[in-house]
Amino acid sequence: DVKVTQSSRYLVKRTGEKVFLECVQDMDHENMFWYRQDPGLGLRLIYFSYDVKMKEKGDIPEGYSVSREKKERFSLILESASTNQTSMYLCASSLSGTGSIQYFGAGTRLSVL
Amino acid sequence: SQQGEEDPQALSIQEGENATMNCSYKTSINNLQWYRQNSGRGLVHLILIRSNEREKHSGRLRVTLDTSKKSSSLLITASRAADTASYFCALETSGSRLTFGEGTQLTVNP
């Protein structure tokens, strides 16, 4: 079974802190994704990566950056956390190509105080 | 927007009844996928239907796709309390990127 592991289930940070959310997948997938999920807004894509060191902006990249130094790991970075970044963050991975299924981690619920 | 729109937003039924959720969209798609999310957890893939397919089955799930009407439906037959979850449609329009709808919250009462 594909396993996508997010480093924390719950995280509480202060405004202005630098925050790292880590995601690791064990199926040698080319693609990795970071979403945030908010009530009434569904899942929104922040960034995705289709190869090591490659990244593309999603629909809401402002205030975030990402890093993919190894194929299995995709990090989401909040350079200076703000209260409006309080949300559920979901990581996913998939094979490349059309018709690929995305496999999700359990999510990280981030609260920025 | 390339986002799918699910209808209804919330659905409450009794165990044993069928549940139908709909997804409408506005763009051309390569395929459409349905995912399920239990409360506070990640999403789990349920079924994929390609743009040249009209219907697919998987266990108690039946998915239809009408590309002329740009709509899809997910039918869960003989629902169980364990089916209580949020259900999302996801559109693939290019490459591997998916655009998710806002979801339908299904509650199955025992």
Side-chain angles (χ1 to χ4, degrees):
Chain A
D1 278 353
V2 175
K3 192 168 183 182
V4 179
T5 303
Q6 293 184 228
S7 53
S8 305
R9 288 283 283 131
Y10 301 95
L11 212 50
V12 180
K13 296 291 181 180
R14 298 246 175 238
T15 303
E17 278 193 77
K18 190 169 185 175
V19 181
F20 292 87
L21 301 183
E22 306 284 345
C23 176
V24 176
Q25 51 96 2
D26 66 357
M27 280 302 290
D28 204 34
H29 284 170
E30 292 85 4
N31 299 329
M32 296 189 75
F33 307 83
W34 274 108
Y35 298 89
R36 66 176 280 176
Q37 183 177 24
D38 301 287
L41 296 176
L43 273 74
R44 293 179 292 167
L45 182 65
I46 305 171
Y47 268 98
F48 66 102
S49 168
Y50 51 89
D51 201 351
V52 175
K53 297 192 187 295
M54 307 301 287
K55 61 184 179 184
E56 285 202 23
K57 293 180 180 180
D59 298 319
I60 51 164
E62 296 79 17
Y64 303 94
S65 62
V66 290
S67 172
R68 192 162 181 207
E69 296 296 318
K70 293 185 178 182
K71 192 174 185 180
E72 67 271 18
R73 186 180 297 270
F74 192 35
S75 303
L76 180 69
I77 304 155
L78 287 65
E79 294 289 342
S80 177
S82 63
T83 54
N84 62 13
Q85 292 178 311
T86 291
S87 186
M88 172 71 120
Y89 289 88
L90 293 164
C91 174
S93 71
S94 77
L95 293 170
S96 61
T98 60
S100 298
I101 296 166
Q102 291 191 11
Y103 295 85
F104 284 79
T108 296
R109 189 166 294 281
L110 172 67
S111 296
V112 182
L113 306 178
Chain B
S1 166
Q2 297 179 354
Q3 187 179 33
E5 295 182 9
E6 281 107 337
D7 172 59
Q9 289 187 331
L11 180 60
S12 182
I13 60 174
Q14 296 300 123
E15 239 179 352
E17 294 180 343
N18 295 342
T20 300
M21 288 157 269
N22 303 296
C23 174
S24 60
Y25 57 93
K26 296 179 180 177
T27 61
S28 297
I29 59 171
N30 294 332
N31 63 68
L32 186 147
Q33 303 183 29
W34 285 90
Y35 287 77
R36 165 196 168 122
Q37 183 182 34
N38 285 15
S39 180
R41 308 295 295 183
L43 279 72
V44 175
H45 178 263
L46 293 176
I47 198 164
L48 178 153
I49 186 164
R50 301 187 188 282
S51 59
N52 60 356
E53 297 176 313
R54 293 296 166 258
E55 188 170 314
K56 268 188 110 165
H57 296 256
S58 177
R60 293 184 296 112
L61 305 181
R62 173 179 168 251
V63 169
T64 61
L65 179 64
D66 187 333
T67 52
S68 65
K69 294 182 179 178
K70 290 186 166 56
S71 68
S72 175
S73 67
L74 170 67
L75 168 67
I76 304 174
T77 59
S79 63
R80 306 165 183 167
D83 294 329
T84 294
S86 292
Y87 292 83
F88 295 85
C89 67
L91 312 177
E92 183 191 303
T93 54
S94 65
S96 307
R97 179 174 167 172
L98 296 178
T99 303
F100 288 84
E102 294 179 20
T104 293
Q105 172 61 51
L106 172 66
T107 302
V108 181
N109 302 298

